[in-house]
Amino acid sequence: MIKKNISRRSLVKFGAGALGTGILTAGISSNLVVSEQAVAQAVVQEEKKDLTPEQALQSLIEGNQRFVTRKRRSPNQTPTRLVEVAKSQKPFASILGCADSRVPAEIVFDQGFGDLFVCRVAGNIATSEEIGSLEFGSLILNSKVIMVLGHKRCGAVDATIKGAQVPGHISSLLDAIQLGVEKSKNLPGDKVENACKANILVQVQKLKSSLVLSQLIEQGKLKVVGAYYDLDDGKVTLLS
């Protein structure tokens, strides 16, 4: 207790001399906040060095848990981090997500600049271009896990179930989702939810059939999983 009081008096004395009594409280408070942020940033960075695929996946799950429980750390979102990754990147995870505006990956997984390699397209489908991008993210950038992230009440999936007549290139999206719809049509329960989840698993298998990605999986350098995002509570649930 005595040591604590002495330390506090010393800090006050130093702060008064350097800043003046008028801004002492604000200055100390600000410095402490910056210090805590710096420590948290260093811890996060250390945790993400040389992650295994399993650890990378766990980092995503833990980030989502923080998001759901309103305990976000908002790591790697400072101006310092922006400059740090300006010339190079090493994302620890890749996300193949839906283009839906309600599912921003960095927010729902509580990540920041340079953490996630994100591909987004309506229906979270693995087109040739998306697969090529994710091959690059894994082979060149060393991402350790690819998550296909579908979500509740996906409009593209719903339109596919209903056989919607759509203009332009929209039909190519529905064609890519059709296999998932077919696989789920005899399942009990909510048809859209069943189809959304089946579609996620179809896209996971497409990714795993990639020669580049399958070799990385066999070498233990990559994990490919499917997950379902609940729009109502923000929770991500693994499917595979």
Side-chain angles (χ1 to χ4, degrees), residues 12 20 30 32 49 84 95 109 165 169 183 188 202-203 217 221 239:
V12 171
S30 175
L32 287 175
K49 284 184 179 179
E84 189 178 88
I95 308 292
F109 289 111
Q165 299 301 304
H169 294 283
K183 285 180 173 293
V202 166
Q203 308 311 321
I217 293 171
K221 297 179 180 179
L239 301 181

Side-chain angles (χ1 to χ4, degrees), residues 141-158:
L141 301 180
N142 206 31
S143 173
K144 300 297 185 178
V145 61
I146 297 174
M147 177 182 286
V148 179
L149 184 64
H151 66 90
K152 194 172 187 177
R153 295 190 293 272
C154 180
V157 173
D158 188 37

Side-chain angles (χ1 to χ4, degrees), residues 21-224:
T21 57
I23 59 173
L24 173 60
T25 303
I28 292 174
S29 175
S30 175
N31 287 339
L32 287 175
V33 170
V34 171
S35 178
E36 289 174 359
Q37 289 177 342
V39 171
Q41 182 92 338
V43 170
V44 169
Q45 287 301 97
E46 184 64 29
E47 286 175 348
K48 290 178 180 177
K49 284 184 179 179
D50 301 319
L51 293 179
T52 66
E54 291 74 19
Q55 290 170 333
L57 177 58
Q58 184 61 30
S59 186
L60 287 178
I61 297 303
E62 290 174 355
N64 178 248
Q65 181 64 20
R66 294 194 300 272
F67 171 71
V68 171
T69 57
R70 309 297 186 266
K71 296 179 180 178
R72 289 173 60 198
R73 297 177 187 167
S74 300
N76 295 333
Q77 297 180 20
T78 63
T80 299
R81 175 64 171 177
L82 179 65
V83 173
E84 189 178 88
V85 299
K87 295 183 179 180
S88 65
Q89 60 173 318
K90 190 179 179 182
F92 75 93
S94 298
I95 308 292
L96 173 55
C98 183
D100 194 293
S101 62
R102 299 166 292 179
V103 196
E106 282 82 2
I107 294 177
V108 303
F109 289 111
D110 192 25
Q111 303 298 328
F113 292 116
D115 291 331
L116 304 181
F117 189 76
V118 182
C119 296
R120 297 180 66 177
V121 58
N124 43 270
I125 54 177
T127 66
S128 295
E129 293 77 12
E130 303 291 342
I131 294 173
S133 296
L134 293 166
E135 288 175 342
F136 178 82
S138 300
L139 184 65
I140 307 301
L141 301 180
N142 206 31
S143 173
K144 300 297 185 178
V145 61
I146 297 174
M147 177 182 286
V148 179
L149 184 64
H151 66 90
K152 194 172 187 177
R153 295 190 293 272
C154 180
V157 173
D158 188 37
T160 304
I161 292 173
K162 294 175 178 176
Q165 299 301 304
V166 293
H169 294 283
I170 302 175
S171 60
S172 66
L173 300 172
L174 308 193
D175 290 342
I177 297 170
Q178 188 60 46
L179 180 57
V181 171
E182 290 296 321
K183 285 180 173 293
S184 66
K185 66 180 180 180
N186 294 322
L187 296 176
D190 186 278
K191 290 186 178 297
V192 176
E193 181 173 337
N194 290 340
C196 285
K197 292 179 177 179
N199 176 56
I200 292 167
L201 297 177
V202 166
Q203 308 311 321
V204 167
Q205 291 307 312
K206 283 186 179 180
L207 291 176
K208 287 183 176 181
S209 69
S210 154
L211 180 60
V212 171
L213 298 181
S214 63
Q215 288 180 343
L216 291 173
I217 293 171
E218 289 174 6
Q219 294 167 1
K221 297 179 180 179
L222 177 69
K223 193 176 187 70
V224 180

